């Protein structure tokens, strides 16, 4: 059953046609999907309060209803490790069109995967999973299944990837946490089914998978 908090976020986002990243990560968190610790800072003081509690380094992203593709607009900075850099980033973002705040979050790492969804006019909700990161269009290494996913769907999606040895542990590297990956994709599939009437597509990219956990680095929800 769709939680009221998720429904409220989707309803309030209809005007812009997509969900701002802090709201998208709140939807994922409410759905049991791991996201970095973050804050939505409307002022520099709010940003510094977060890093004093959580520590450096952090990543910062512009929050603006006019900027969906943050990286293309120069609205993403990673590895910020001191207050001067945090201030300079905030001041630069503050001059961007539609600025409403700066998302500040802990740095996360792992094998860069991606998960996506769209609502196909013929087949309904479908789930995409594969290699992610900024080179996702180059890899074109993905598997697709109709939602809702079952565990055997997740297993077959993983095994169909050309790069699946990387997940199993390649050349001495430790394997990713398969249980966490399965749990993430199953929770994502359940979320997609619950909100399919609202969405056109969802992209979770990168989805960082490590031996410890799978955690969503960036999320984009495009609404109908």
């Amino acid at each position: 059953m769709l939680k009221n908090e998720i429904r409220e976020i989707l309803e309030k986002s209809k005007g812009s046609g997509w969900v701002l990243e802090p709201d998208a990560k709140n939807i994922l968190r409410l759905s049991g999907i791991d996201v970095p610790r973050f804050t939505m800072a409307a002022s520099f003081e709010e940003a510094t309060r977060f890093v004093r509690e959580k520590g450096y380094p952090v990543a910062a992203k512009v929050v603006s209803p006019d900027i969906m593709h943050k990286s293309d607009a120069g609205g993403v900075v990673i590895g910020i490790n001191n207050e001067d850099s945090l201030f300079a980033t905030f001041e630069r973002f503050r001059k961007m069109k539609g600025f409403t705040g700066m998302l500040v979050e802990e740095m996360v790492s792992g094998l860069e995967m991606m998960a996506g969804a769209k609502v196909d006019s013929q087949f309904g909700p479908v789930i995409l999973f594969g290699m992610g990161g900024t080179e996702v269009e180059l890899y074109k290494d993905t598997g697709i299944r109709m939602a809702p996913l079952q565990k055997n769907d997740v297993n077959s999606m993983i095994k169909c990837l050309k790069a699946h040895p990387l997940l199993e542990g390649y050349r001495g590297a430790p394997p990713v946490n398969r249980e966490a990956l399965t749990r993430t994709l199953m929770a994502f599939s359940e979320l997609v089914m619950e909100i399919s009437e609202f969405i056109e597509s969802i992209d979770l990219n990168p989805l960082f998978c490590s031996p410890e956990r799978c955690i969503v680095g960036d999320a984009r929800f495009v609404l109908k």
Side-chain angles (χ1 to χ4, degrees), residues 86-196:
L86 187 68
F87 180 73
T89 301
F90 186 87
E91 286 299 298
R92 186 167 64 81
F93 286 177
R94 194 167 61 82
K95 298 170 184 171
M96 292 183 170
K97 185 178 180 182
F99 173 85
T100 58
M102 182 170 80
L103 184 145
V104 185
E105 65 183 12
E106 66 172 320
M107 293 288 296
V108 292
S109 61
L111 186 62
E112 293 191 10
M113 309 301 297
M114 65 80 64
K118 67 176 184 177
V119 181
D120 185 87
S121 59
Q122 183 174 0
F123 298 107
V126 294
I127 305 292
L128 193 71
F129 172 70
M131 301 305 295
T134 55
E135 292 84 14
V136 63
E137 298 296 333
L138 291 176
Y139 296 142
K140 298 185 186 304
D141 189 9
T142 57
I144 188 169
R145 298 290 186 278
M146 293 173 61
L149 296 180
Q150 305 299 319
K151 284 188 177 179
N152 60 329
D153 295 318
V154 173
N155 290 333
S156 66
M157 290 174 84
I158 293 172
K159 289 180 179 176
C160 82
L161 300 178
K162 292 190 287 288
H164 89 269
L166 293 176
L167 283 77
E168 307 294 343
Y170 185 65
R171 290 194 169 183
V176 304
N177 188 319
R178 188 69 168 266
E179 183 178 339
L181 175 57
T182 300
R183 186 169 59 247
T184 299
L185 292 178
M186 296 290 286
F188 180 53
S189 168
E190 185 175 341
L191 171 65
V192 169
M193 293 301 294
E194 289 180 343
I195 66 173
S196 61

Side-chain angles (χ1 to χ4, degrees), residues 42-67:
S43 67
F44 178 65
E45 288 70 27
E46 290 177 354
T48 54
R49 191 178 307 134
F50 175 82
V51 294
R52 283 170 185 160
E53 292 177 359
K54 309 301 181 186
Y56 290 103
V58 294
K61 304 175 186 178
V62 67
V63 179
S64 164
D66 296 318
I67 303 175

